[in-house]
Amino acid sequence: MKKYDVLIIGAGIAGLYAAMQLPKSKKVLVVCKDIPWECNTFYAQGGMSTALNEADISVHVEDTMAAGAYHNDKEAVEILSRTSLVTTPDIISQGMEFDTDEEGNILYTKEAAHSTERIVHAGGDATGRYMHYFMMVQNKHQLQKNTLVYDLLIEDGRCYGVKASVNYRPTTIYADDVIIASGGIGSLYAYNTNSRTISADIHGICVEKGIELSDMEFMQFHPTVFVDTPYARKLLLTEALRGEGAHVVDDDGNRFLFEYDNRGELASRDIVARGIFDYKRKTGKNAYLDFSMFEEKWFEHRFPNITRTFGALGYYFPKDKVSISPAFHYANGGIKCDTYGCIEGMEGLYVIGEAARTGVHGANRLASNSLLEGMVFAKRAVDHLLGKEQIVLKTPEFEKDYANILHKDNDKTYKHKLRQVMWDDIGIIRTTQGLHEAKNLIYDMKNREIGRLLELRLNTASAIVDAALARKESLGSHYMES
Ligand code: SIN
């Protein structure tokens, strides 16, 4: 029987930073569903927030809590901000290069709802890609791709490993400790900015096993996304563009967001996303991101990734404005855990990163707090794991397996139907009637002949719709229209 000390599900920032904290003496396996860079970290553009110094901690905490509609767990937020004074210097000392000025001073930028410039970035607007590459190079443990986890091996409140499809072959992987770092739920939505691998499978397994998901009504929509492409993942236009001074305008050049909040483009993400969605619906006008105030050379240097990507689509930035829509971006809720990633009533199982609900984001995540969250809580989970008493246990037999992991004939049709209903009825603006209709549709699909993976997606979708129905009042990114 093949058994590891630690199995990490996911090779984004949380999974890789957890691996970096584990000594070489441990037998560790990091698995990812596809190729390692198909993860949300890779696509993160704007940057990573970090407290600037001791004095900035209380300000960062307050900005995070205000963006989160004070639904956050304050202790988790304080941990996030305080630990950034350890984790950011840690990766810099190991060779991570954030953008600097000519004298070598780190350049900080600002994004919506931050009261000061405290966001570090790399490669201009390719922060996630640079951080991911840095951590891939640092990783000293075995990394296995094409490993799609479809079950957690749980018995009597303990996790013993997973069942996974490895290069399309059903495989059992045993481990003393399993760390879930599998990201959020992006592929459930028709319009999303996420990697195509992010499809809520592990959340769905948790629903099945009675492991609590929490704050699932708080799904975050990014305000400025270019959605006119045929691909599932839509193109993000980083919040840092607005942080540096880009405007959101309508067909007539009117900066309409001031009708929604006196901070205009720099209001928190939920308000800006809702404002754009509502304005387009109400007026029939389109919304655009306008960069024309920027000098060409500066723009190309500061946002090389966006300049290049949109250049290939025929845009000439910063001269051209670009049509925008909100799109699903980030799950504020997730698998409920404490600030060490421990899950109540469950031994040998941790959760970190976007998959986790520590309470750090409240009802709406503050921009650029997620890369930081990935590192801070990965470190704490590993500290906990290494600090606990190691008990030698006999591994039970797990015989049950699933015949139809990947496909049944209907799956593709239902998957698309689900993505549309999530966008239409469990999206930016919700109604009780729409939520009930979505609930019925999801229930109906669950009772069809479907494959295991679709079943898991539907489990997670049910958890989102149930949480949305349970919260009658609007809060943060959960907005109910009466
Ligand atoms: C962005 O660059 O706008 C995304 C950053 C984030 O989601 O925090």
Side-chain angles (χ1 to χ4, degrees):
M1 182 179 73
K2 209 167 184 181
K3 186 171 173 216
Y4 293 86
D5 294 327
V6 185
L7 170 69
I8 301 174
I9 309 171
I13 193 165
L16 290 177
Y17 196 62
M20 274 172 71
Q21 313 303 308
L22 285 159
K24 188 84 187 87
S25 56
K26 290 273 176 198
K27 195 171 169 202
V28 177
L29 178 66
V30 184
V31 298
C32 58
K33 194 186 269 186
D34 194 312
I35 45 179
W37 46 94
E38 266 309 332
C39 62
N40 280 348
T41 299
F42 184 84
Y43 294 109
Q45 294 182 354
M48 178 178 73
S49 60
T50 186
L52 298 169
N53 47 41
E54 191 70 29
D56 188 42
I57 293 175
S58 57
V59 189
H60 183 206
V61 168
E62 176 54 26
D63 287 352
T64 301
M65 301 282 298
Y70 297 94
H71 183 69
N72 323 54
D73 177 334
K74 191 163 185 201
E75 190 199 334
V77 181
E78 282 168 350
I79 289 169
L80 176 84
S81 187
R82 179 163 296 285
T83 314
S84 72
L85 295 180
V86 177
T87 50
T88 308
D90 173 52
I91 55 168
I92 292 173
S93 73
Q94 296 192 61
M96 174 64 211
E97 291 183 5
F98 290 107
D99 295 338
T100 57
D101 65 15
E102 278 159 15
E103 276 88 53
N105 303 306
I106 286 191
L107 290 167
Y108 295 93
T109 192
K110 193 174 171 179
E111 290 180 14
H114 282 269
S115 53
T116 190
E117 284 85 0
R118 65 162 76 84
I119 296 164
V120 290
H121 46 88
D125 55 357
T127 313
R129 200 157 75 207
Y130 277 58
M131 291 186 79
H132 190 257
Y133 176 76
F134 163 76
M135 289 190 187
M136 285 287 287
V137 171
Q138 294 290 316
N139 178 37
K140 52 194 172 297
H141 299 291
Q142 185 185 346
L143 195 154
Q144 182 174 288
K145 55 187 186 169
N146 290 330
T147 303
L148 191 162
V149 172
Y150 57 81
D151 205 8
L152 294 170
L153 306 179
I154 290 178
E155 194 175 285
D156 295 335
R158 166 164 265 288
C159 183
Y160 292 89
V162 305
K163 289 213 187 247
S165 159
V166 181
N167 295 320
Y168 306 103
R169 294 165 73 118
T171 308
T172 304
I173 308 171
Y174 295 101
D176 288 338
D177 285 291
V178 174
I179 302 180
I180 301 169
S182 53
I185 60 117
S187 296
L188 292 188
Y189 280 90
Y191 296 112
N192 74 78
T193 61
N194 288 194
S195 160
R196 61 185 153 74
T197 57
I198 304 297
S199 50
D201 320 318
I202 311 287
H203 293 73
I205 300 172
C206 288
V207 171
E208 185 182 76
K209 309 279 179 201
I211 295 173
E212 189 177 347
L213 305 187
S214 181
D215 285 348
M216 294 303 279
E217 65 274 39
F218 301 117
M219 293 296 135
Q220 183 170 76
F221 297 85
H222 197 289
T224 56
V225 182
F226 180 71
V227 297
D228 302 330
T229 68
Y231 308 111
R233 186 180 67 79
K234 303 302 177 190
L235 298 177
L236 183 68
L237 287 143
T238 176
E239 194 133 339
L241 287 158
R242 281 172 287 133
E244 297 283 359
H247 294 164
V248 172
V249 296
D250 66 11
D251 299 298
D252 309 316
N254 169 30
R255 288 173 71 189
F256 61 86
L257 282 172
F258 287 94
E259 293 172 26
Y260 294 86
D261 192 288
N262 59 20
R263 292 168 293 178
E265 287 89 354
L266 293 182
S268 62
R269 196 171 275 183
D270 55 331
I271 295 171
V272 178
R274 208 153 46 237
I276 294 172
F277 186 82
D278 181 64
Y279 189 79
K280 286 170 80 162
R281 193 177 61 165
K282 193 173 72 186
T283 63
K285 293 183 181 173
N286 203 359
Y288 304 87
L289 209 47
D290 176 6
F291 321 114
S292 55
M293 68 292 293
F294 295 127
E295 198 268 315
E296 189 181 328
K297 280 270 162 301
W298 178 87
F299 188 90
E300 198 181 338
H301 178 72
R302 177 68 183 85
F303 299 107
N305 180 36
I306 286 176
T307 306
R308 213 171 27 247
T309 308
F310 282 82
L313 294 174
Y315 284 87
Y316 183 56
F317 287 169
K319 197 167 110 315
D320 292 343
K321 55 185 187 181
V322 60
S323 150
I324 50 167
S325 159
F328 173 86
H329 186 57
Y330 187 88
N332 296 306
I335 302 162
K336 193 173 177 194
C337 64
D338 68 13
T339 62
Y340 289 99
C342 299
I343 297 166
E344 200 182 334
M346 191 60 58
E347 291 295 318
L349 188 62
Y350 293 85
V351 58
I352 54 175
E354 188 178 346
R357 184 274 182 197
T358 56
V360 80
H361 303 306
N364 176 53
R365 177 176 60 88
L366 180 68
S368 283
N369 265 353
S370 53
L371 292 175
L372 177 61
E373 174 202 19
M375 294 198 344
V376 165
F377 293 98
K379 175 170 166 38
R380 287 173 67 84
V382 172
D383 286 350
H384 184 279
L385 186 158
L386 294 176
K388 72 183 175 184
E389 194 189 341
Q390 298 296 328
I391 315 163
V392 182
L393 287 166
K394 190 171 170 318
T395 306
E397 286 289 314
F398 290 91
E399 270 161 20
K400 181 175 177 197
D401 216 322
Y402 297 85
N404 293 298
I405 302 306
L406 292 178
H407 299 296
K408 278 259 186 169
D409 296 342
N410 298 333
D411 282 10
K412 203 165 176 192
T413 313
Y414 289 138
K415 197 173 81 179
H416 286 296
K417 212 164 159 180
L418 175 64
R419 284 156 56 89
Q420 201 54 49
V421 81
M422 293 296 292
W423 177 253
D424 291 342
D425 291 329
I426 322 175
I428 299 168
I429 296 181
R430 301 158 178 186
T431 63
T432 307
Q433 188 189 341
L435 289 174
H436 278 296
E437 281 167 14
K439 187 177 166 82
N440 289 340
L441 223 123
I442 293 166
Y443 181 80
D444 178 60
M445 285 192 261
K446 265 182 165 172
N447 285 301
R448 303 287 172 135
E449 282 280 302
I450 54 173
R452 170 83 178 148
L453 293 181
L454 181 59
E455 184 189 351
L456 296 179
R457 281 183 189 221
L458 289 166
N459 284 350
T460 309
S462 289
I464 299 172
V465 76
D466 287 347
L469 275 167
R471 187 172 295 280
K472 306 278 179 243
E473 79 289 0
S474 298
L475 187 70
S477 56
H478 170 66
Y479 189 86
M480 293 295 290
E481 193 170 61
S482 44

